[in-house]
Amino acid sequence: MLQIACPHCGPRDENEFSCGGEAHIARPKQPDAISDAEWADYLFMRTNPKGALAERWCHTVGCRRWFNVERDTVTHTILRVYAMGAPRGGGGGA
Amino acid sequence: MAETIPSQSALAPLGLEARPWPEDAPVRMEEHAHSGKLVLRGDHRDSDFMNAVRGVLGMTPPLVPLGSMMVKGRVVLWLGPDEWLIACPAGAETALYAELRTALNGVHAALVDLTDAQTIIRISGPRARDLIAKGCTLDLHPHTFGAGHVARGTLAHAQITLLQTAGDGEAGSPAFDLYVGRSFAQHLWRWLEDAAREYPGGTDPA
Amino acid sequence: MKRQRQRLDVGARIDRGQRLAFRFNGKSYEGFSGDTLASALVANGVRLVGRSFKFHRPRGIYSAGMEEPNALVQLGTGAASEPNLRATQVELFDGLEAASVNCWPSVNFDIWSLNDRVSSMLPAGFYYKTFMWPTGLWMRYERAIRAMAGMGRTAREADPDRYDQTNAHCDVLIAGGGPAGLMAALAAGRAGARVILADEQNEFGGRLLSEPEDGETIGGRLAVDWVADARAELAGMAEVRLLPRTTVFGYYDHNFIGLIERVTDHLGGAAPEHLPRQRMWRVRARQVVLATGAIERPLIFAENDRPGIMLAGAARAYLNRYGVQPGEKVLVFTNNDDAYRTALDLNAAGIVVPAVVDLRADPQGSLPARAREAGIEILAGHGVVGTKGRLRVTEARVAPVSDGAVAGPARTISCDAIAMSGGWNPAVHLFSQGQGKLRFEEARGVFLPGNTIQANRSAGACNGAFPLAVCLAEGTEVGALAAADAGFGAPVLALPETKEAEEAPMEVVWQVPSDRPPGKARAFVDFQNDVTTKDVKLAAREGYRSVEHFKRYTTTGMGTDQGKTSNINGVAILASALGEAIPAVGTTTFRPPYTPVSFGAFAGRELHEFYAPIRRTPIHAWHESHGAVFEDVGQWKRPRYYPRAGEGMHAAVRREAIAARSGIGILDASTLGKIDIQGADAAELLNRVYTNAWSKLEVGRCRYGLMLGEDGMVMDDGVTARLAEDHFLMSTTTGNAARVLAWLEEWTQTEWPDMKVHMASATEQWATVSISGPKARNLLAELTGDFDLSPDAFPFMSFREGIVAGVSARVFRISFTGELSFEVNVAARHGLAVWTACMTAGEKYGITPFGTEAMHLLRAEKGFIIVGQDTDGTVTPADLGMDWIVSKKKPDFLGKRSLSRADTLRSGRKRLVGLFTEDPKTVLDEGAQIVAEPRDRPPMKMIGHVTSSYFSPTLDRSIALALIEDGPDRMGQTLHASMPGRTVPVRVTEPVFFDPDGERMRG
């Protein structure tokens, strides 16, 4: 059971949250203007790294806010928690 | 309004009045039904929103996470950075709703009357914390949580909003208002009653 | 039998004033308060306590703790009976009843011990090799093998005991209450940190409890007195929680720790009714201190498994802690100094120690010196190379050994017990569970804690620090550091002085040589699973190089003891057979639980009615009192049908459905999800999440919407009403309410943060009473005078607000049954009253409550889909024939782009159709597979499946909905549905069976 520091509510158990998968996958602005392959890339393709992964999480049973988490997929160490919309590398942290 | 039909609380089907808790029980529980509950959402950086809310409530809604504020018999609970629960005396919600609606006219905000969507289970007594801990992972230790603190979480797999209404010092033991969805209330009450069997003096839900 | 003939008259930590009667294998015995079942058995001279798992060899008590591989017992009888408990950990109580496991008909004569006679035919992997073929028969073999193997019996009745669970948080959790753990707790506790100190034993003190009273001192006090002082100080600290009888069994991510507290196990029948039997603690600790001690390592020698052969530390524990003689003539066998303590204590208690057999050529430490002074013979450079005795050891054969070989003739030493020690293995299990990496130390042959990513520290014996002074120092240091890291700095604690004997280095010996032919004398590595050195070497020869494979192949460490005494020896012998270094072979991964935990404790309170939350509508009590049969829909209980006396489900559903089509049916629809949506962009949000257009919906009107995932597949549907220009109320399917709200929040927060819109769940605010049928309008008219119900004034797909049955209501004119329907929404507190009012006023119309089963039937007659029943996440609107609801004009909505992907456009997709069976009475099974040609040889192509199937009383025939490849192109074709034992011919038809133009619901 991971412990995730909600940016608003503080550290809480993982089962208070839901994971929204990999972060920083923007929805194409004009879906009709892109190819099937590009759309499929947006829909289905994820990096699935061994190591640091940026994910979106939502504090479902708490403040219901979404935010980003950078997590090591091997050790489950949480490297960074940052706001929705903030860039992955920015604001310090791994 | 021709509201002639009696109101039924969420826990009424359990017939709790037939099973009072002993005065000296290490934990006591009671249903606090029908108090008004409005959920307010809006952007606290929007001065129009804040002014409108302040004008009606006579206070700034709590901006510090997990806080609450009590003014004029109303408690405003922080639920999220743009979300508050306003609890008011039973029956006062309709007028308060109308007043807020009017004040918020033209302002980006949302207001929903959820008076019947939840009920409150009031838990008090020296073992209140221990009882809640059996089904809830929130840390309620006095170092981290005290009177006026609010947290949403789960208890016995039901979503709850927990407000501590009294600290250890004041009433001799802590007290909590546990807001729970109406449909979960009977499950939660029975679960708590079962969990409280460990504390002699508690009722035995035979 | 003389009572407790092995019991000493004085000393030890038992209360001779409190006699406890107990039964073991049907015989009556007596022990004292403070005993374990094992110590009481030793006191009564019971040597033979069990049989081994595979060969059913007689086995005796081997240890004094949780590492016990042999003394497994079935405790209690009847429903509360529990198998495979370690007698060494079972605290004795009055009236205890226990029996050996693994033996039939009795422990003294075990018929399966015949396995032992043919053991040369039962090598490692025997079962894998022998019973693999023919594969179909394995199930039959397995049953017989399992019966033979035994391992206790689970009770057939439900466990009558209650189990509690609780959650806790602390600054410092300390696992183990020996000297290091106690010091850590004192250091952290004095700093003000919130501390939990857990120890699996009934009292704190760890190994100090097993040392002689006049042995070591701490701070000038006897060690046990120092323990009592420390305990008392800790008990007085408000922020320290002491948990004796509590095993830290699991170390999970982010310092999430599982503890199992045995609350009343030790009380037997005297346990107070209000207390749970056990309590599972789920602890989140800022910092963890591991002070879990060490487990003595057995010496592996020929014929090492006879009853009476035990660990040297255990012999000392029986003597000093429990006041019992482990034997009358106890040979000590060692490769280290610590076992000399056992020899000295036994000797001091008047027990004959014929010799200390020491594998080291020249033991010169202070402890051997004291043994010499005491007149104990030391056979240096010797080893035990064989033993004799069937149900107990009677003699040892001792020979000089050097360089791993027998170096001289053996002599025989008579004894009735052998106390042996191969050194101590740090208990690194929890450290390893918590993803810590182990490192190997050659000098003592031990795995020690290495790097860890978790916030923990090890102290004392589990960290390789065996001397008492070092244990105390490490405990103090890590306790203070842990508290400081948790935010509680404190002055450094002064260390108490200790008095203890110094130890000289040990000599690592993994396997004692034997003069017996290799095939004749077995040396057991894993006692519980009967793995011998020969098995380990065979596995190496057969190519098992990975320690994880080796473990599973030989079953080393796979018993209920998880190899506490066998893993390291097994790995070392494997490494030697492979010619590799031990760290290169590595050790197996330690996984929770550290020791077995009852299923009941994991289940906790989540049984029966508390298994999962039950959600009830405001009208639930009425349904119950009117005999409703409920079904689970998500967490909700919904009435499925309301049988009358003598009525089965089909008759009830038929009656309910006919009432809704001909008079009035009434349904509790309170479970449907309701989401309140407000804001200037509310209509725009609906445009983006639904396939159809919403901007032009008038206030007061409703519209049906279909929601897609980004993959274009149908995700939810429902009716949404426009309450005001910027205010909508969306309804969702019962099971999807939370998911849809989360979906809307996700998009507005992550992708469209500038939209001016807010959502809230309003499901439980309302009770929804749905009245449906040709007379619905008449009934509603009687209950409200507030609004005009005429079709022109209150058209289909609109809503009105007013008083119904005396309370404020919002009435939606929408229909899921295909009949004239009104959904009356009132505040939840009035739900029951309004329902009752409808029932009373509707009596003259024959108002009939109907459940979900009739509702499903009625909507299926209309061809209305249920998301999740007629769809399964692979179905597009076009597949459902619902293109009409997909806007061609909107530039974008969620899932739109996917509807033009090649895969969603291709032919051959499964699409919704209706099916008529040739025989109108045959009702297809939901889920039945459809084939075009039933005479094909399997595997034949399955072209679809039935999603909904009912007998329709209105049509007086069965109807079904199905998803079939290119279904709409197959209208009129005959296909075949597979049903148990037969195939049923079906004709493909339109999926709307009744009132296709919707005149009834619009009327």
Side-chain angles (χ1 to χ4, degrees), chain B residues 26 31 45 54 74 78 107 115 119 138-139 145 164 166 189 191 206:
Chain B
E31 184 185 20
R45 293 161 303 185
R54 262 195 294 264
R74 300 174 188 139
W78 182 95
V107 177
T115 297
T119 192
L138 293 170
D139 184 1
F145 205 87
Q164 185 165 351
W189 181 279
W191 191 99

Side-chain angles (χ1 to χ4, degrees), chain C residues 38 42 46-47 49-50 59-65 67-72 87-88 295-301 303-316 318 326 418-422 523-528 561 564-566 569:
Chain C
V42 177
V46 178
R47 285 301 183 82
V49 293
R59 293 278 164 81
I61 291 164
Y62 191 63
S63 75
E67 68 269 40
E68 178 62 33
N70 291 345
L72 301 185
T88 48
I295 299 168
E296 195 157 28
R297 179 195 303 159
L299 286 168
I300 307 300
F301 56 94
E303 300 159 332
N304 58 343
D305 73 328
R306 300 194 196 285
I309 300 177
M310 63 167 64
L311 295 167
R316 201 148 85 235
Y318 287 115
I418 300 176
M420 48 94 178
S421 176
F524 286 85
V525 176
D526 187 291
F527 281 55
Q528 203 171 82
D561 65 344
K564 297 283 185 309
T565 53
S566 66
N569 281 329

Side-chain angles (χ1 to χ4, degrees), chain C residues 878-896:
Chain C
D879 296 339
L880 295 170
M882 293 175 76
D883 312 61
W884 53 270
I885 203 174
V886 179
S887 166
K888 308 288 182 291
K889 292 184 192 145
K890 286 199 292 181
D892 194 12
F893 55 83
L894 294 182
K896 179 170 191 281

Side-chain angles (χ1 to χ4, degrees), chain C residues 225-255:
Chain C
D225 292 339
W226 177 84
V227 170
D229 293 349
R231 196 205 164 283
E233 183 182 344
L234 291 167
M237 293 182 183
E239 297 298 336
V240 174
R241 189 191 292 276
L242 297 177
L243 293 175
R245 298 189 173 94
T246 303
T247 303
V248 180
F249 70 81
Y251 194 144
Y252 305 91
D253 288 321
H254 295 187
N255 271 1

Side-chain angles (χ1 to χ4, degrees), chain C residues 792-860:
Chain C
D792 292 338
F794 189 1
F796 184 57
M797 295 304 270
S798 64
F799 75 90
R800 297 291 178 266
E801 287 179 282
I803 303 296
V804 174
V807 298
S808 299
R810 203 182 265 156
V811 183
F812 295 86
R813 209 191 136 190
I814 56 180
S815 178
F816 194 43
T817 59
E819 293 300 318
L820 171 65
S821 292
F822 298 93
E823 278 193 4
V824 181
N825 287 265
V826 296
R829 70 179 75 177
H830 297 311
L832 180 59
V834 170
W835 175 279
T836 313
C838 288
M839 288 303 298
T840 307
E843 204 178 337
K844 54 184 165 298
Y845 305 111
I847 192 167
T848 302
F850 67 101
T852 50
E853 198 64 28
M855 177 187 81
H856 289 174
L857 157 64
L858 293 165
R859 66 86 207 177

Side-chain angles (χ1 to χ4, degrees), chain B residues 14-153:
Chain B
L14 295 182
L16 301 179
E17 56 287 345
R19 283 180 285 158
W21 293 64
E23 281 299 325
D24 60 345
V27 281
R28 292 170 52 82
M29 304 200 299
E30 57 178 327
E31 184 185 20
H32 188 68
H34 302 316
S35 66
K37 298 168 207 81
L38 306 180
V39 166
L40 172 70
R41 295 190 66 177
D43 185 350
H44 63 85
R45 293 161 303 185
D46 175 356
S47 56
D48 290 347
F49 170 76
M50 291 303 271
N51 289 336
V53 173
R54 262 195 294 264
V56 175
L57 297 180
M59 66 164 137
T60 303
L63 299 179
V64 175
L66 312 176
S68 70
M69 252 176 234
M70 192 189 243
V71 172
K72 289 193 281 188
R74 300 174 188 139
V75 193
V76 182
L77 289 72
W78 182 95
L79 297 183
D82 65 353
E83 188 172 2
W84 297 269
L85 175 69
I86 307 167
C88 63
E93 68 274 9
T94 311
L96 182 60
Y97 181 89
E99 217 182 324
L100 278 165
R101 265 275 167 236
T102 308
L104 289 166
N105 193 24
V107 177
H108 173 45
L111 184 67
V112 192
D113 181 351
L114 293 177
T115 297
D116 279 23
Q118 300 190 334
T119 192
I120 298 172
I121 296 176
R122 195 158 272 183
I123 304 181
S124 58
R127 304 302 296 270
R129 252 185 224 105
D130 293 334
L131 176 62
I132 295 169
K134 284 172 187 258
C136 177
T137 60
L138 293 170
D139 184 1
L140 302 180
H141 189 274
H143 287 175
T144 61
F145 205 87
H149 277 99
V150 176
R152 289 209 273 189

Side-chain angles (χ1 to χ4, degrees), chain B residues 1-3 5 7-8 41 101 110-111 114-117 133-134 137 139 141 157 181 183 190 194 198, chain C residues 164 167 169 194 239 274 279 605-606 609 615-616 678 745 759 764-765 805-806 808 828-830 833:
Chain B
M1 211 180 272
E3 306 251 338
I5 292 185
S7 295
Q8 200 191 32
R41 295 190 66 177
R101 265 275 167 236
L111 184 67
L114 293 177
T115 297
D116 279 23
K134 284 172 187 258
T137 60
D139 184 1
H141 189 274
H157 301 289
S183 64
R190 291 178 60 83
D194 186 65
E198 183 175 348
Chain C
D164 188 46
N167 301 285
H169 299 258
R194 249 198 285 174
E239 297 298 336
H274 67 276
R279 183 186 342 263
R605 193 161 277 103
E606 288 164 25
E609 73 160 299
R615 302 182 71 180
R616 296 173 174 90
Q678 297 180 31
E745 285 285 357
M759 284 72 65
E764 293 163 287
Q765 171 68 15
S808 299
R829 70 179 75 177
H830 297 311

